Amino acid sequence: MIDTHLPALVVVLPLLGGLLAVFAGRGVLPWLWATLVASATFAATIALLMKVQAEGVVTYAMGGWQAPWGIEYRVDALSATVLVVVAAISCVTTFYARLSVAKEIPKDRHNFFYSLWLLCQAGLLGITITGDAFNIYVMLEISSLTVYGLIALGGNNDRRAFTAAINYLVIGSIGASFILIAIGYLYMMTGTLNIADMSAKLTEFYFKDEQLYGTKNATIYVAFAFLMVGLGIKMALFPLHTWLPNAYTYAPSAVTALLAATATKVGIYMTIRFYFTIFGVQFSFGQIPNRVILMACACFAIILGSVIAIRQTQFKKTLAYSSVAQIGYIVLGFSLLNVSGIAGSIVHIVNHAMIKGGLFMAVGAVAYRTRVTSLDALSGLGKRMPLTMAAFTAGGLSLIGFPLTAGFVSKWYLVTGALESGLWPLAIVVLIGSILALIYVWRMIELIYFAEPREDAPTREAPWSLLLPTWVLIGASIYFGIDATLTGGLAESAARMLLGNP
Amino acid sequence: MNQFEIFNYWIYVLIMMIGFYGVIAKKNLVKKVISLGLFQTGIFLLYISMAVVEGGVAPIADFKDPNAVYANPIPHVLMLTAIVVSVSITAVALSIVVRIKLAYGTIETDEIEEMDGAE
């Protein structure tokens, strides 16, 4: 009974849970409720992944209305993987949130905070699981609206959070509106909103038009152009990343960890869905010089993102710009259009979620003990907070792509993919990116272990309820660095599915 | 196809671009929020226009007339959702603008940037 409704549960649980969290009152109860809901959702996604691995694609007709008329939920290897990542990170960050939120957000707002928190997860999971184009837009707006609110909550500590939130709101709404326009044009051409149906009709229309009239169908091109910009904003692809650094820097610590690990990843998932599933490789990369554009943006993101990260004086901002660079790696991966490249980009979605989530949690643990966020606040913390800093160092090494870390696995796939396509300059860009990452990570490690502690440096280790979730993510990233059969296997089967040769 | 037939689409682009210009060029945050609303309203017009069927009537089943032509109801329904989204965005934006006014004492982006730069 519950088995058949699993896909619906994944979205309904956090959606209803989020609404109910408002009534949980004050104190520890809202957190307890959020933890319960997030854990249940995580369990549901795991069950779903196992079902997909056993039976193949799982579909679910919302409310019993059959596709293509009703809203269809569709789970394949790719969406199941992303679902598990999002739900796992949400679950771990919810555990982490209790102390961090208690410190950074006024007591009377906790129920609202956890309400937004769960609704945001519902939106992100909804984007991933849905098989309906308009539903993607609705879920996108659910997750975006809650994220704007969550970022603005950081304004209780630093007023710049408000400006970061309004900037993201304006840019993000324009991006989402562009996606809405594109979906409108696609609906105009195909008369359907179901992704599978739309994809079949689109290819048919496009090539029929060219045969019959000898001209290209302009509407589809316009839709594609709007999508490229809208999706670029949502996944923070250089040069559309301007909202990201401030939003990550001034949001509450727990929110930064959740955002950095999930929000942009889901944006990338959407991009892959639109480019590969709806338009198809033949159109997205054959008819439009999209491949060159994506590769150029990705290379700029990797190099410039890392260079700007080196120049930052606040450690949260360094990590935020490093995220811009990491998104470059992921985009570079799928624009290679071969199994290794796409698998590399999916593996990096998983790995980077763990690495950045863990890093921002370690940063949050530092913020819990000291208010200062400038780079030299890290001085000598290796002696004062050894466990937190060990996690931070392990995460940093993974960002560089040090062997035996998760980052190495992703980069291995990417370099292999680049060489398979014969594009060795891209492999060099990946290596230069690693060297630049070495510089900004080393600057922090040097301060942590080889500098004298400042006078206002914290004297105690972070509490265990912050340390444990941090180490869960960092430990997972080390585990998947040593044994990548699970992530690699999932990613490769998803990559084959996207390229249409299972 | 004469230009008058696609009159609605011209207006949609016009409204949308006026809004887009406002979002980029205006320094006052409330004006930015108004422009954002205008931008999204343009999109509603796009969807509503595409629902038109020549000679179509409101899509309420008329069993007496089996040959009745109906306008496509789906875009209208989609826009109901989009209107709700647009209103929510305006509400969230305005509440953040209120907090900005309280924290900075101004809602002009250039003045806010100056104050942030000084910190």
Side-chain angles (χ1 to χ4, degrees):
Chain A
M1 168 63 203
I2 198 124
D3 198 39
T4 51
H5 293 294
L6 263 181
L9 268 186
V10 168
V11 177
V12 170
L13 273 179
L15 197 65
L16 281 182
L19 294 176
L20 291 176
V22 178
F23 304 107
R26 291 175 190 180
V28 80
L29 208 59
W31 172 77
L32 215 59
W33 174 247
T35 315
L36 192 73
V37 173
S39 314
T41 315
F42 180 40
T45 56
I46 293 272
L48 205 53
L49 177 69
M50 279 154 64
K51 202 172 167 190
V52 169
Q53 277 187 316
E55 301 170 17
V57 178
V58 174
T59 56
Y60 180 81
M62 217 29 163
W65 295 84
Q66 292 303 317
W69 297 284
I71 292 172
E72 184 194 26
Y73 276 12
R74 194 181 176 84
V75 193
D76 53 26
L78 176 63
S79 47
T81 313
V82 177
L83 280 176
V84 170
V85 171
V86 172
I89 302 279
S90 310
C91 185
V92 178
T93 40
T94 314
F95 270 108
Y96 174 89
R98 187 172 66 96
L99 282 181
S100 183
V101 167
K103 176 132 181 162
E104 292 177 18
I105 287 164
K107 257 202 158 48
D108 57 333
R109 308 261 165 79
H110 282 189
N111 51 348
F112 296 112
F113 175 87
Y114 287 108
S115 173
L116 288 180
W117 179 266
L118 287 174
L119 287 176
C120 176
Q121 295 171 14
L124 294 172
L125 293 168
I127 296 173
T128 317
I129 202 171
T130 191
D132 182 275
F134 192 76
N135 208 226
I136 289 189
Y137 167 74
V138 175
M139 289 299 182
L140 177 67
E141 285 293 15
I142 291 178
S143 67
S144 306
L145 276 166
T146 48
V147 164
Y148 307 144
L150 286 171
I151 294 172
L153 275 169
N156 296 308
N157 302 319
D158 190 328
R159 63 181 181 180
R160 279 172 289 183
F162 296 131
T163 40
I166 197 94
N167 274 337
Y168 184 19
L169 186 145
V170 170
I171 299 175
S173 302
I174 291 200
S177 302
F178 275 13
I179 295 175
L180 179 62
I181 295 173
I183 293 171
Y185 281 130
L186 290 178
Y187 179 72
M188 245 186 208
M189 287 317 300
T190 59
T192 178
L193 287 167
N194 183 283
I195 286 178
D197 202 22
M198 189 185 263
S199 151
K201 286 192 177 152
L202 209 55
T203 346
E204 185 192 327
F205 262 107
Y206 179 76
F207 291 101
K208 203 162 67 183
D209 247 45
E210 210 169 5
Q211 279 165 7
L212 282 179
Y213 310 112
T215 53
K216 295 180 191 299
N217 188 323
T219 314
I220 297 179
Y221 278 88
V222 173
F224 196 86
F226 273 115
L227 267 182
M228 277 173 81
V229 179
L231 292 170
I233 289 175
K234 278 297 165 192
M235 64 175 166
L237 177 61
F238 185 90
L240 303 167
H241 67 282
T242 45
W243 58 268
L244 185 143
N246 278 343
Y248 280 15
T249 309
Y250 300 116
S253 307
V255 175
T256 312
L258 180 73
L259 264 187
T262 58
T264 45
K265 305 295 171 304
V266 171
I268 290 162
Y269 167 82
M270 256 198 310
T271 312
I272 294 179
R273 248 313 154 235
F274 272 107
Y275 285 176
F276 287 85
T277 311
I278 297 188
F279 282 96
V281 180
Q282 223 184 340
F283 182 82
S284 308
F285 298 96
Q287 300 293 326
I288 289 175
N290 193 17
R291 199 173 177 212
V292 182
I293 297 173
L294 283 178
M295 278 180 184
C297 287
C299 291
F300 275 116
I302 293 171
I303 305 287
L304 289 178
S306 307
V307 169
I308 301 172
I310 293 172
R311 295 164 48 90
Q312 293 307 312
T313 51
Q314 282 180 303
F315 51 75
K316 251 183 143 178
K317 257 199 179 148
T318 308
L319 292 180
Y321 274 106
S322 142
S323 273
V324 174
Q326 305 297 321
I327 287 156
Y329 287 117
I330 300 175
V331 172
L332 185 68
F334 71 72
S335 65
L336 287 171
L337 296 183
N338 57 28
V339 173
S340 305
I342 298 173
S345 114
I346 297 166
V347 165
H348 204 48
I349 289 178
V350 181
N351 288 345
H352 183 242
M354 292 183 294
I355 300 166
K356 262 299 151 50
L359 277 172
F360 273 117
M361 280 185 185
V363 164
V366 176
Y368 184 78
R369 287 291 184 216
T370 166
R371 275 273 147 113
V372 200
T373 54
S374 64
L375 206 54
D376 58 340
L378 290 173
S379 306
L381 286 187
K383 295 187 193 83
R384 300 284 173 86
M385 307 171 80
L387 288 172
T388 317
M389 286 303 124
F392 191 86
T393 311
L397 290 177
S398 210
L399 271 187
I400 301 168
F402 207 69
L404 291 185
T405 62
F408 178 73
V409 178
S410 327
K411 282 186 185 156
W412 180 263
Y413 271 110
L414 289 180
V415 171
T416 317
L419 293 178
E420 271 175 25
S421 294
L423 294 162
W424 56 268
L426 293 179
I428 294 178
V429 168
V430 173
L431 295 180
I432 293 176
S434 290
I435 295 169
L436 291 171
L438 179 66
I439 298 174
Y440 62 74
V441 171
W442 179 251
R443 271 180 72 201
M444 292 190 271
I445 292 180
E446 195 179 3
L447 279 172
I448 291 168
Y449 289 106
F450 302 109
E452 284 305 308
R454 289 165 30 133
E455 274 172 26
D456 58 351
T459 47
R460 281 188 301 148
E461 180 58 84
W464 69 268
S465 73
L466 296 184
L467 266 179
L468 191 68
T470 313
W471 269 104
V472 167
L473 285 191
I474 293 293
S477 84
I478 294 171
Y479 173 77
F480 286 121
I482 296 168
D483 178 14
T485 42
L486 178 65
T487 48
L490 277 172
E492 279 180 31
S493 65
R496 283 200 198 91
M497 178 202 75
L498 287 174
L499 287 173
N501 46 334
Chain B
M1 185 193 296
N2 64 39
Q3 292 302 305
F4 194 70
E5 254 176 57
I6 52 168
F7 177 72
N8 267 13
Y9 295 99
W10 282 109
I11 297 299
Y12 131 72
V13 173
L14 192 70
I15 294 178
M16 196 175 79
M17 283 303 131
I18 292 172
F20 199 36
Y21 169 80
V23 170
I24 296 168
K26 292 294 168 195
K27 299 227 181 300
N28 186 303
L29 282 176
V30 172
K31 285 185 186 167
K32 262 191 205 292
V33 175
I34 294 172
S35 310
L36 197 62
L38 204 57
F39 178 79
Q40 288 169 328
T41 311
I43 302 173
F44 304 159
L45 187 59
L46 164 72
Y47 272 76
I48 302 298
S49 311
M50 76 170 84
V52 173
V53 175
E54 219 166 291
V57 294
I60 303 165
D62 182 1
F63 296 109
K64 284 178 200 146
D65 180 9
N67 299 321
V69 179
Y70 302 113
N72 185 353
I74 293 176
H76 292 100
V77 179
L78 298 182
M79 280 313 99
L80 278 181
T81 317
I83 289 169
V84 174
V85 168
S86 166
V87 170
S88 326
I89 289 178
T90 313
V92 173
L94 287 178
S95 59
I96 297 176
V97 172
V98 169
R99 292 300 300 268
I100 287 180
K101 173 74 178 170
L102 288 175
Y104 287 86
T106 176
I107 51 168
E108 301 289 330
T109 45
D110 46 348
E111 287 172 27
I112 293 170
E113 267 166 35
E114 221 167 86
M115 290 161 98
D116 276 348
E119 264 175 30

